Amino acid sequence: MIPYSVLDLSPVPEGATPADALANTLDLAKHAEEWAYTRYWLAEHHNMTGIASAATSIVIGQVAAHTRTIRVGAGGIMLPNHAPLVVAEQFGTLATLFPDRIDLGLGRAPGTDMMTARALRRSLENSDNFPQDVVELMGYFDDASADQRVRAVPGAGTHVPVWILGSSLFGAQLAAHLGLPYAFASHFAPAALEQASEVYRETFRPSEALEKPHFMLAINVFAGESDEEGAYLRTSMQQAFANLRTGKPGPLPRPVEDIDAEIGPQMRQMVDEALRISAVGSAKSVEHQLSKLIAAHEPDEVILTGQIHDHAARLNSFRIASSCLGHLQAA
């Protein structure tokens, strides 16, 4: 039985507002719980008009408050932007309010541009300290010792599960070294997927947190009532990725009938390569593609994402995907 989860960036659709995006997130989370998703993760990005989850811990708290059983967490918090103690206090507070429901995924990228990273008042060299910062942060979640001078309150003794996120061998090696679960960003940066998963599994060292490797595969899903509808829904993400690549990020574009006419065939090929870990089309097609991806990469868990402009269509896509994964598990 492979658990399946949701990764949400709280996309702001073209013509909508961040308030709309956050309301959509809460609605999707409540449906995801009904559809047997295991986790609902949100990601930290800054200075992006198409993403409303910048204050990630606050949105996590709202999602947890509007659901009952689904695990809620960060996929992830970009640790170079923050002092480890502050993150420990935020997630220690969440874990205290919502016991045994909070996850903390940690990434090494800034999640933004360099000018915004400076505005966050963190040194650009902080990514070099990522391994030490992860260890420091995990220490704040441990039971506090009598002589401990600095504590996370709340936080100490909450033992919040920590994940390492990554799209390169660095994250795979660090997760293996620390004995932590590892989530690979295959939904937008799949180039090192095969090598990273192999390195993680082969070099994993058991820890108090985890006895054996736990590898999560991220998959884009654009499911509709037909193959044509799934492909049509995907064009919003194709445009958004092309805009990001050309330095023009913005709200999530409306879908289009002819993606090549919109971004050009050469850009579409580049985008499609970056988004190749995807399942697109009707329920039958999506189930077949998910089956192939799971067979090829043998993940311990999958996390699905899908930036779809129309909220009703996004709900339907995640509903179809859940049904597909349920069929695969039953089989």
XYZ file of all heavy atoms in Angstrom, residues 160-258:
763
model
N 8.681 16.560 15.981
C 8.057 16.757 14.668
C 8.853 15.990 13.605
O 10.076 16.143 13.524
C 8.015 18.257 14.316
C 7.488 18.458 12.901
C 7.159 19.024 15.322
N 8.198 15.161 12.787
C 8.921 14.434 11.735
C 9.530 15.404 10.720
O 8.841 16.277 10.191
C 7.841 13.564 11.088
C 6.752 13.477 12.095
C 6.780 14.772 12.842
N 10.817 15.244 10.464
C 11.542 16.097 9.521
C 11.852 15.303 8.251
O 12.309 14.156 8.320
C 12.837 16.634 10.156
C 13.699 17.346 9.119
C 12.512 17.580 11.315
N 11.591 15.907 7.112
C 11.916 15.353 5.798
C 12.955 16.250 5.140
O 12.970 17.465 5.370
C 10.695 15.325 4.893
C 9.593 14.400 5.277
C 8.821 14.434 6.412
C 9.105 13.300 4.502
N 7.890 13.434 6.387
C 8.032 12.716 5.232
C 9.453 12.759 3.266
C 7.327 11.616 4.756
C 8.742 11.663 2.789
C 7.697 11.095 3.535
N 13.783 15.674 4.299
C 14.666 16.449 3.439
C 14.070 16.457 2.042
O 13.678 15.422 1.502
C 16.088 15.856 3.400
C 16.709 15.866 4.804
C 16.967 16.637 2.415
C 16.914 17.245 5.398
N 13.995 17.658 1.448
C 13.522 17.819 0.081
C 14.703 18.116 -0.813
O 15.694 18.708 -0.370
C 12.519 18.970 -0.013
C 11.426 19.052 1.052
C 10.532 20.246 0.790
C 10.609 17.779 1.087
N 14.610 17.746 -2.068
C 15.725 18.064 -2.947
C 15.464 17.685 -4.383
O 14.509 16.966 -4.699
N 16.348 18.179 -5.247
C 16.306 17.825 -6.666
C 17.700 17.478 -7.170
O 17.957 17.486 -8.366
C 15.730 18.990 -7.485
O 16.521 20.155 -7.310
N 18.608 17.177 -6.233
C 19.989 16.874 -6.594
C 20.528 15.795 -5.666
O 19.850 15.357 -4.732
C 20.861 18.129 -6.493
O 20.998 18.497 -5.125
N 21.772 15.403 -5.898
C 22.389 14.374 -5.056
C 22.686 14.897 -3.660
O 22.787 14.114 -2.712
C 23.686 13.875 -5.709
C 23.527 13.208 -7.071
C 24.861 12.630 -7.533
C 22.478 12.121 -7.023
N 22.820 16.211 -3.490
C 23.127 16.774 -2.177
C 22.052 16.395 -1.159
O 22.347 15.891 -0.073
C 23.251 18.299 -2.268
C 23.587 18.960 -0.957
C 24.910 19.191 -0.597
C 22.588 19.355 -0.071
C 25.223 19.797 0.622
C 22.886 19.950 1.140
C 24.212 20.176 1.480
N 20.798 16.651 -1.508
C 19.709 16.325 -0.591
C 19.611 14.838 -0.333
O 19.332 14.406 0.796
N 19.825 14.034 -1.376
C 19.763 12.582 -1.221
C 20.834 12.094 -0.248
O 20.569 11.249 0.622
C 19.935 11.910 -2.584
N 22.042 12.624 -0.392
C 23.140 12.219 0.483
C 22.899 12.665 1.920
O 23.148 11.922 2.870
C 24.460 12.800 -0.040
C 24.895 12.185 -1.354
C 26.004 12.966 -2.039
O 26.142 14.187 -1.834
N 26.795 12.304 -2.851
N 22.373 13.886 2.085
C 22.128 14.389 3.435
C 21.009 13.587 4.113
O 21.144 13.206 5.287
C 21.747 15.872 3.385
C 21.442 16.526 4.738
C 22.664 16.477 5.655
C 20.979 17.970 4.555
N 19.927 13.324 3.412
C 18.836 12.541 3.985
C 19.309 11.154 4.382
O 18.948 10.636 5.449
C 17.682 12.445 2.986
N 20.133 10.540 3.529
C 20.659 9.210 3.834
C 21.578 9.257 5.046
O 21.526 8.390 5.925
C 21.407 8.659 2.618
N 22.428 10.275 5.115
C 23.391 10.406 6.222
C 22.681 10.601 7.561
O 23.093 10.032 8.588
C 24.332 11.571 5.945
C 25.329 11.826 7.040
N 26.436 11.024 7.247
C 25.371 12.786 7.998
C 27.114 11.479 8.282
N 26.496 12.551 8.755
N 21.615 11.404 7.552
C 20.884 11.696 8.791
C 19.796 10.659 9.097
O 19.184 10.713 10.167
C 20.249 13.085 8.710
C 21.218 14.271 8.600
C 20.450 15.578 8.449
C 22.151 14.337 9.808
N 19.556 9.744 8.158
C 18.515 8.746 8.381
C 17.127 9.335 8.385
O 16.295 9.005 9.223
N 16.846 10.216 7.395
C 15.565 10.909 7.315
C 14.838 10.536 6.029
O 15.464 10.139 5.042
C 15.781 12.428 7.343
C 16.382 13.009 8.624
C 16.636 14.500 8.438
C 15.470 12.746 9.819
N 13.512 10.671 5.995
C 12.779 10.462 4.739
C 13.145 11.540 3.731
O 13.484 12.675 4.100
C 11.311 10.541 5.165
C 11.310 11.286 6.462
C 12.613 10.989 7.127
N 13.058 11.187 2.456
C 13.530 12.058 1.385
C 12.449 12.212 0.327
O 11.900 11.230 -0.172
C 14.788 11.451 0.760
C 15.388 12.221 -0.392
C 15.690 13.575 -0.266
C 15.688 11.593 -1.596
C 16.264 14.283 -1.313
C 16.260 12.286 -2.648
C 16.544 13.629 -2.501
O 17.109 14.328 -3.537
N 12.113 13.455 0.005
C 11.131 13.761 -1.039
C 11.840 14.429 -2.199
O 12.502 15.463 -2.013
C 10.031 14.665 -0.491
N 11.721 13.850 -3.385
C 12.427 14.385 -4.557
C 11.484 15.248 -5.393
O 10.347 14.859 -5.673
C 12.984 13.248 -5.417
C 13.928 13.730 -6.480
C 15.267 13.934 -6.190
C 13.472 14.015 -7.759
C 16.144 14.404 -7.172
C 14.332 14.484 -8.734
C 15.677 14.679 -8.440
N 11.982 16.406 -5.825
C 11.173 17.379 -6.563
C 11.069 17.008 -8.039
O 11.377 17.800 -8.933
C 11.769 18.772 -6.404
N 10.621 15.786 -8.293
C 10.549 15.283 -9.662
C 9.457 15.949 -10.474
O 9.430 15.814 -11.702
C 10.329 13.765 -9.633
O 9.463 13.384 -8.588
N 8.559 16.693 -9.815
C 7.470 17.339 -10.542
C 7.931 18.534 -11.365
O 7.207 18.979 -12.258
C 6.364 17.765 -9.580
C 6.804 18.732 -8.523
N 7.804 18.440 -7.615
C 6.382 19.989 -8.212
C 7.970 19.472 -6.813
N 7.134 20.420 -7.148
N 9.139 19.063 -11.093
C 9.637 20.169 -11.917
C 11.122 20.077 -12.228
O 11.618 20.831 -13.051
C 9.338 21.529 -11.260
C 10.200 21.846 -10.072
C 11.401 22.525 -10.219
C 9.809 21.481 -8.798
C 12.194 22.827 -9.117
C 10.586 21.776 -7.696
C 11.793 22.451 -7.856
N 11.855 19.143 -11.599
C 13.299 19.027 -11.824
C 13.713 17.554 -11.783
O 14.381 17.116 -10.850
C 14.065 19.835 -10.786
N 13.307 16.779 -12.799
C 13.516 15.332 -12.727
C 14.868 14.824 -13.202
O 15.103 13.610 -13.201
C 12.406 14.799 -13.642
C 12.281 15.852 -14.697
C 12.523 17.161 -13.993
N 15.781 15.712 -13.585
C 17.014 15.272 -14.248
C 17.797 14.248 -13.431
O 18.308 13.262 -13.969
C 17.891 16.481 -14.562
N 17.900 14.455 -12.126
C 18.717 13.571 -11.290
C 17.880 12.547 -10.526
O 18.374 11.933 -9.577
C 19.542 14.411 -10.305
N 16.639 12.346 -10.943
C 15.727 11.495 -10.186
C 16.275 10.093 -9.948
O 16.352 9.616 -8.811
C 14.377 11.419 -10.909
C 13.374 10.381 -10.411
C 13.038 10.601 -8.943
C 12.111 10.404 -11.269
N 16.647 9.405 -11.002
C 17.083 8.019 -10.874
C 18.336 7.917 -10.015
O 18.446 7.060 -9.127
C 17.322 7.403 -12.253
C 16.053 7.185 -13.058
C 15.553 8.426 -13.767
O 16.225 9.491 -13.682
O 14.475 8.361 -14.398
N 19.311 8.797 -10.274
C 20.566 8.747 -9.527
C 20.358 9.104 -8.058
O 20.923 8.470 -7.162
C 21.587 9.695 -10.162
C 23.002 9.514 -9.635
C 23.997 10.406 -10.338
O 23.618 11.246 -11.171
N 25.272 10.246 -10.023
N 19.534 10.107 -7.800
C 19.307 10.534 -6.416
C 18.612 9.443 -5.606
O 18.976 9.189 -4.452
C 18.487 11.823 -6.393
N 17.599 8.802 -6.184
C 16.902 7.755 -5.447
C 17.823 6.578 -5.160
O 17.760 5.970 -4.088
C 15.665 7.287 -6.220
O 16.027 6.719 -7.465
N 18.705 6.271 -6.116
C 19.658 5.167 -5.915
C 20.659 5.508 -4.819
O 20.936 4.688 -3.930
C 20.382 4.880 -7.231
C 21.369 3.729 -7.154
C 22.058 3.463 -8.488
O 21.605 4.000 -9.517
O 23.062 2.721 -8.488
N 21.212 6.729 -4.858
C 22.173 7.155 -3.834
C 21.526 7.144 -2.456
O 22.116 6.677 -1.473
C 22.728 8.558 -4.170
C 23.435 9.174 -2.963
C 23.678 8.479 -5.358
N 20.317 7.663 -2.375
C 19.621 7.709 -1.084
C 19.439 6.309 -0.512
O 19.741 6.048 0.656
C 18.275 8.404 -1.259
C 17.373 8.321 -0.044
C 17.730 8.936 1.155
C 16.171 7.615 -0.090
C 16.905 8.856 2.276
C 15.346 7.533 1.018
C 15.726 8.146 2.203
O 14.925 8.054 3.319
N 18.951 5.402 -1.317
C 18.667 4.060 -0.821
C 19.937 3.289 -0.478
O 19.979 2.547 0.507
C 17.838 3.298 -1.850
C 16.383 3.799 -1.925
C 15.680 3.270 -3.155
N 14.234 3.540 -3.093
C 13.489 3.812 -4.143
N 14.028 3.875 -5.351
N 12.192 4.031 -4.007
N 20.964 3.452 -1.288
C 22.179 2.658 -1.092
C 23.030 3.157 0.074
O 23.778 2.378 0.673
C 23.012 2.645 -2.374
C 22.380 1.821 -3.490
C 23.284 1.702 -4.699
O 24.342 2.382 -4.714
O 22.929 0.945 -5.621
N 22.927 4.449 0.392
C 23.793 5.005 1.443
C 23.025 5.324 2.719
O 23.593 5.891 3.655
C 24.504 6.275 0.946
O 23.534 7.286 0.630
C 25.346 5.978 -0.289
N 21.753 4.966 2.793
C 20.931 5.287 3.950
C 21.477 4.654 5.230
O 21.860 3.483 5.255
C 19.498 4.812 3.717
C 18.561 5.117 4.858
C 17.931 6.348 4.943
C 18.323 4.185 5.865
C 17.072 6.641 5.992
C 17.466 4.461 6.918
C 16.841 5.694 6.986
N 21.498 5.450 6.291
C 21.931 4.975 7.604
C 20.741 5.043 8.559
O 20.184 6.122 8.770
C 23.084 5.825 8.149
C 24.265 5.923 7.198
C 25.511 6.450 7.872
N 25.292 7.636 8.691
C 26.271 8.287 9.315
N 27.528 7.871 9.213
N 26.008 9.358 10.039
N 20.329 3.922 9.134
C 19.186 3.940 10.057
C 19.413 4.912 11.203
O 20.541 5.122 11.657
C 19.109 2.494 10.558
C 19.787 1.691 9.491
C 20.873 2.574 8.958
N 18.317 5.523 11.672
C 18.390 6.507 12.753
C 17.231 6.279 13.711
O 16.373 5.419 13.485
C 18.301 7.921 12.177
O 17.001 8.151 11.625
N 17.187 7.083 14.760
C 16.047 7.008 15.672
C 14.753 7.394 14.967
O 13.668 6.937 15.327
C 16.271 7.933 16.877
C 17.371 7.462 17.824
C 17.473 8.355 19.050
O 16.598 9.236 19.202
O 18.417 8.171 19.834
N 14.868 8.235 13.963
C 13.686 8.700 13.234
C 13.168 7.659 12.250
O 11.961 7.570 12.006
C 14.007 9.995 12.489
N 14.067 6.857 11.675
C 13.680 6.005 10.553
C 14.607 4.797 10.474
O 15.832 4.951 10.482
C 13.763 6.823 9.255
C 12.988 6.376 8.035
C 11.492 6.335 8.306
C 13.282 7.301 6.858
N 14.023 3.612 10.370
C 14.825 2.383 10.320
C 15.307 2.058 8.907
O 16.372 1.470 8.729
C 14.007 1.207 10.848
C 13.715 1.267 12.338
C 12.981 0.042 12.814
O 12.655 -0.835 11.972
O 12.726 -0.060 14.034
N 14.514 2.411 7.903
C 14.873 2.093 6.522
C 14.491 3.262 5.620
O 13.699 4.128 6.012
C 14.172 0.810 6.068
C 12.651 0.867 6.122
C 12.040 -0.461 5.700
C 10.509 -0.399 5.706
N 9.902 -1.682 5.283
N 15.037 3.338 4.405
C 14.766 4.488 3.532
C 13.278 4.656 3.253
O 12.531 3.676 3.164
C 15.520 4.141 2.241
C 16.500 3.096 2.616
C 15.936 2.355 3.775
N 12.868 5.912 3.124
C 11.488 6.228 2.742
C 11.576 7.320 1.686
O 11.887 8.473 1.980
C 10.674 6.688 3.942
C 9.206 6.799 3.646
N 8.318 5.771 3.858
C 8.465 7.821 3.128
C 7.095 6.142 3.508
N 7.165 7.383 3.051
N 11.271 6.931 0.450
C 11.460 7.811 -0.704
C 10.111 8.244 -1.260
O 9.258 7.411 -1.572
C 12.265 7.088 -1.783
C 12.487 7.895 -3.033
C 13.418 8.927 -3.047
C 11.772 7.630 -4.189
C 13.630 9.679 -4.185
C 11.977 8.377 -5.338
C 12.909 9.400 -5.336
N 9.921 9.551 -1.378
C 8.671 10.107 -1.913
C 8.910 10.666 -3.310
O 9.848 11.438 -3.529
C 8.138 11.210 -0.996
C 6.852 11.869 -1.489
S 6.399 13.317 -0.506
C 5.541 12.526 0.863
N 8.040 10.270 -4.238
C 8.102 10.718 -5.623
C 7.010 11.749 -5.862
O 5.841 11.502 -5.562
C 7.902 9.519 -6.559
C 7.885 9.787 -8.059
C 9.293 10.117 -8.555
C 7.331 8.572 -8.814
N 7.375 12.916 -6.409
C 6.406 13.972 -6.708
C 5.968 13.867 -8.166
O 6.808 13.763 -9.072
C 7.002 15.346 -6.432
N 4.653 13.891 -8.390
C 4.083 13.696 -9.726
C 3.048 14.784 -10.006
O 2.174 15.051 -9.179
C 3.396 12.316 -9.846
C 4.359 11.179 -9.471
C 2.842 12.107 -11.244
C 3.690 9.814 -9.406
N 3.140 15.403 -11.183
C 2.083 16.302 -11.639
C 0.910 15.472 -12.143
O 1.108 14.467 -12.837
C 2.573 17.183 -12.791
C 3.714 18.091 -12.403
O 3.537 19.026 -11.634
N 4.907 17.819 -12.935
N -0.305 15.894 -11.821
C -1.490 15.212 -12.333
C -2.450 16.242 -12.918
O -2.789 17.237 -12.259
C -2.199 14.385 -11.238
C -3.505 13.817 -11.766
C -1.302 13.247 -10.758
N -2.858 15.983 -14.149
C -3.866 16.811 -14.820
C -4.899 15.848 -15.391
O -4.765 15.359 -16.512
C -3.226 17.657 -15.923
C -2.093 18.513 -15.444
C -0.781 18.072 -15.543
C -2.333 19.750 -14.862
C 0.273 18.851 -15.086
C -1.286 20.535 -14.404
C 0.017 20.093 -14.514
N -5.893 15.541 -14.580
C -6.891 14.537 -14.948
C -8.212 15.209 -15.289
O -8.648 16.137 -14.605
C -7.092 13.549 -13.796
N -8.840 14.707 -16.336
C -10.135 15.228 -16.750
C -11.042 14.103 -17.209
O -10.731 12.923 -17.049
N -12.142 14.473 -17.817
C -13.084 13.466 -18.295
C -12.625 12.823 -19.603
O -13.168 11.797 -20.015
C -14.459 14.097 -18.480
C -15.044 14.695 -17.206
C -15.060 13.699 -16.057
O -15.466 12.533 -16.281
O -14.659 14.073 -14.928
N -11.612 13.403 -20.229
C -11.064 12.858 -21.473
C -9.582 13.192 -21.542
O -9.083 14.039 -20.786
C -11.782 13.445 -22.691
O -11.524 14.844 -22.768
N -8.870 12.548 -22.458
C -7.460 12.877 -22.657
C -7.304 14.321 -23.111
O -6.358 15.017 -22.709
C -6.841 11.945 -23.706
C -6.652 10.518 -23.183
O -6.769 10.315 -21.955
O -6.383 9.620 -24.007
N -8.239 14.764 -23.938
C -8.171 16.138 -24.452
C -8.348 17.153 -23.323
O -7.643 18.172 -23.276
C -9.250 16.350 -25.521
C -9.034 15.579 -26.806
C -9.352 14.093 -26.680
O -10.059 13.701 -25.712
O -8.886 13.315 -27.549
N -9.253 16.875 -22.387
C -9.449 17.805 -21.281
C -8.219 17.851 -20.377
O -7.795 18.922 -19.936
C -10.680 17.429 -20.452
C -10.948 18.441 -19.336
C -12.088 18.034 -18.410
O -12.723 16.999 -18.636
O -12.320 18.780 -17.439
N -7.632 16.691 -20.092
C -6.422 16.665 -19.268
C -5.299 17.479 -19.881
O -4.619 18.251 -19.198
N -5.098 17.321 -21.200
C -4.055 18.081 -21.895
C -4.368 19.573 -21.877
O -3.460 20.417 -21.743
C -3.921 17.582 -23.327
N -5.635 19.918 -22.016
C -6.058 21.324 -21.975
C -5.775 21.926 -20.605
O -5.224 23.033 -20.496
C -7.543 21.395 -22.309
C -8.161 22.773 -22.221
C -7.836 23.772 -23.124
C -9.109 23.054 -21.226
C -8.427 25.028 -23.049
C -9.707 24.307 -21.147
C -9.361 25.290 -22.062
O -9.942 26.529 -21.983
N -6.096 21.203 -19.536
C -5.843 21.707 -18.184
C -4.353 21.915 -17.935
O -3.949 22.851 -17.243
C -6.426 20.735 -17.153
C -7.939 20.544 -17.163
C -8.351 19.460 -16.165
C -8.658 21.851 -16.850
N -3.532 21.041 -18.499
C -2.079 21.130 -18.288
C -1.488 22.403 -18.883
O -0.432 22.880 -18.433
C -1.395 19.902 -18.898
C 0.124 19.923 -18.773
C 0.787 18.680 -19.348
N 0.431 18.435 -20.733
C 1.012 17.509 -21.499
N 1.961 16.732 -21.001
N 0.623 17.338 -22.756
N -2.123 22.992 -19.883
C -1.527 24.151 -20.553
C -1.337 25.335 -19.614
O -0.469 26.184 -19.861
C -2.370 24.596 -21.770
O -3.687 24.991 -21.333
C -2.480 23.474 -22.792
N -2.111 25.414 -18.536
C -1.882 26.492 -17.562
C -0.506 26.346 -16.925
O 0.245 27.328 -16.806
C -2.965 26.467 -16.478
O -4.216 26.850 -16.995
N -0.169 25.143 -16.518
C 1.132 24.901 -15.903
C 2.258 25.057 -16.923
O 3.329 25.584 -16.600
C 1.163 23.496 -15.283
C 2.437 23.173 -14.540
S 2.704 24.286 -13.144
C 4.353 23.794 -12.629
N 2.041 24.632 -18.141
C 3.057 24.807 -19.186
C 3.351 26.294 -19.403
O 4.515 26.700 -19.506
C 2.586 24.155 -20.489
C 2.563 22.630 -20.450
C 1.877 22.043 -21.666
O 0.742 22.404 -21.993
N 2.541 21.130 -22.347
N 2.322 27.097 -19.454
C 2.524 28.538 -19.617
C 3.229 29.139 -18.406
O 4.140 29.970 -18.547
C 1.185 29.237 -19.816
C 0.470 28.909 -21.106
C -0.899 29.571 -21.121
O -1.022 30.770 -21.439
N -1.927 28.819 -20.774
N 2.802 28.736 -17.208
C 3.396 29.273 -15.985
C 4.876 28.943 -15.920
O 5.707 29.789 -15.530
C 2.674 28.718 -14.758
N 5.235 27.729 -16.313
C 6.645 27.330 -16.272
C 7.452 28.090 -17.317
O 8.573 28.517 -17.059
C 6.758 25.814 -16.492
C 7.921 25.196 -15.787
C 7.806 24.786 -14.461
C 9.126 25.025 -16.429
C 8.894 24.219 -13.797
C 10.215 24.459 -15.775
C 10.088 24.053 -14.456
N 6.870 28.274 -18.487
C 7.542 29.062 -19.520
C 7.743 30.505 -19.055
O 8.809 31.104 -19.266
C 6.737 29.028 -20.816
N 6.737 31.070 -18.413
C 6.859 32.437 -17.892
C 7.962 32.528 -16.848
O 8.725 33.501 -16.810
C 5.524 32.886 -17.283
C 4.440 33.076 -18.323
O 4.722 33.203 -19.513
N 3.190 33.091 -17.882
N 8.045 31.515 -15.982
C 9.095 31.503 -14.963
C 10.466 31.413 -15.605
O 11.410 32.098 -15.188
C 8.863 30.319 -14.010
C 9.740 30.249 -12.766
C 9.521 31.460 -11.864
C 9.455 28.956 -12.001
N 10.589 30.553 -16.611
C 11.876 30.385 -17.298
C 12.325 31.663 -18.001
O 13.518 31.895 -18.161
C 11.763 29.249 -18.324
C 11.775 27.843 -17.719
C 13.196 27.443 -17.344
N 13.263 26.143 -16.726
C 13.492 24.998 -17.380
N 13.638 25.014 -18.692
N 13.565 23.864 -16.722
N 11.387 32.482 -18.435
C 11.735 33.709 -19.155
C 11.712 34.930 -18.245
O 11.732 36.066 -18.727
C 10.767 33.922 -20.343
O 9.418 33.889 -19.860
C 10.954 32.825 -21.378
N 11.658 34.701 -16.937
C 11.733 35.801 -15.976
C 10.477 36.623 -15.875
O 10.525 37.797 -15.487
N 9.316 36.025 -16.211
C 8.053 36.766 -16.165
C 7.004 35.984 -15.372
O 5.914 35.689 -15.880
C 7.550 37.038 -17.587
C 8.484 37.887 -18.437
C 7.925 38.080 -19.837
C 7.913 36.767 -20.607
N 7.484 36.954 -22.016
N 7.306 35.638 -14.122
C 6.309 34.896 -13.344
C 5.090 35.768 -13.064
O 5.183 36.992 -13.013
C 7.047 34.555 -12.049
C 8.080 35.641 -11.916
C 8.506 35.961 -13.326
N 3.961 35.127 -12.898
C 2.736 35.866 -12.625
C 1.652 34.907 -12.185
O 1.925 33.740 -11.890
N 0.407 35.367 -12.145
C -0.702 34.473 -11.796
C -0.786 33.284 -12.750
O -0.275 33.335 -13.882
C -1.924 35.384 -11.914
C -1.386 36.775 -11.732
C -0.025 36.760 -12.348
N -1.441 32.215 -12.301
C -1.563 31.011 -13.113
C -2.442 31.295 -14.330
O -3.620 31.633 -14.184
C -2.168 29.890 -12.263
C -2.286 28.523 -12.928
C -0.905 27.948 -13.229
C -3.076 27.567 -12.036
N -1.880 31.148 -15.540
C -2.636 31.530 -16.747
C -3.850 30.641 -16.996
O -3.917 29.489 -16.558
C -1.603 31.347 -17.867
C -0.271 31.389 -17.201
C -0.489 30.763 -15.858
N -4.795 31.190 -17.707
C -5.936 30.403 -18.174
C -5.444 29.377 -19.195
O -4.497 29.636 -19.940
C -6.991 31.308 -18.803
C -7.674 32.246 -17.812
C -8.702 33.122 -18.513
N -9.492 33.901 -17.553
C -9.109 35.068 -17.045
N -7.942 35.600 -17.405
N -9.868 35.702 -16.168
N -6.091 28.220 -19.282
C -5.661 27.224 -20.269
C -5.942 27.699 -21.691
O -6.791 28.570 -21.917
C -6.514 25.996 -19.915
C -7.711 26.546 -19.193
C -7.228 27.768 -18.453
N -5.205 27.128 -22.634
C -5.350 27.501 -24.045
C -5.498 26.243 -24.890
O -5.079 25.154 -24.491
C -4.138 28.321 -24.537
C -4.060 29.656 -23.813
C -2.834 27.544 -24.357
N -6.081 26.397 -26.070
C -6.273 25.256 -26.969
C -4.978 24.858 -27.657
O -4.733 23.676 -27.902
C -7.347 25.593 -28.016
C -8.742 25.806 -27.436
C -9.358 24.528 -26.917
O -8.823 23.438 -27.203
O -10.391 24.615 -26.203
N -4.121 25.840 -27.984
C -2.897 25.568 -28.751
C -1.702 26.087 -27.968
O -1.361 27.270 -28.040
C -2.990 26.240 -30.126
C -1.833 25.859 -31.047
O -0.844 25.275 -30.551
O -1.921 26.147 -32.253
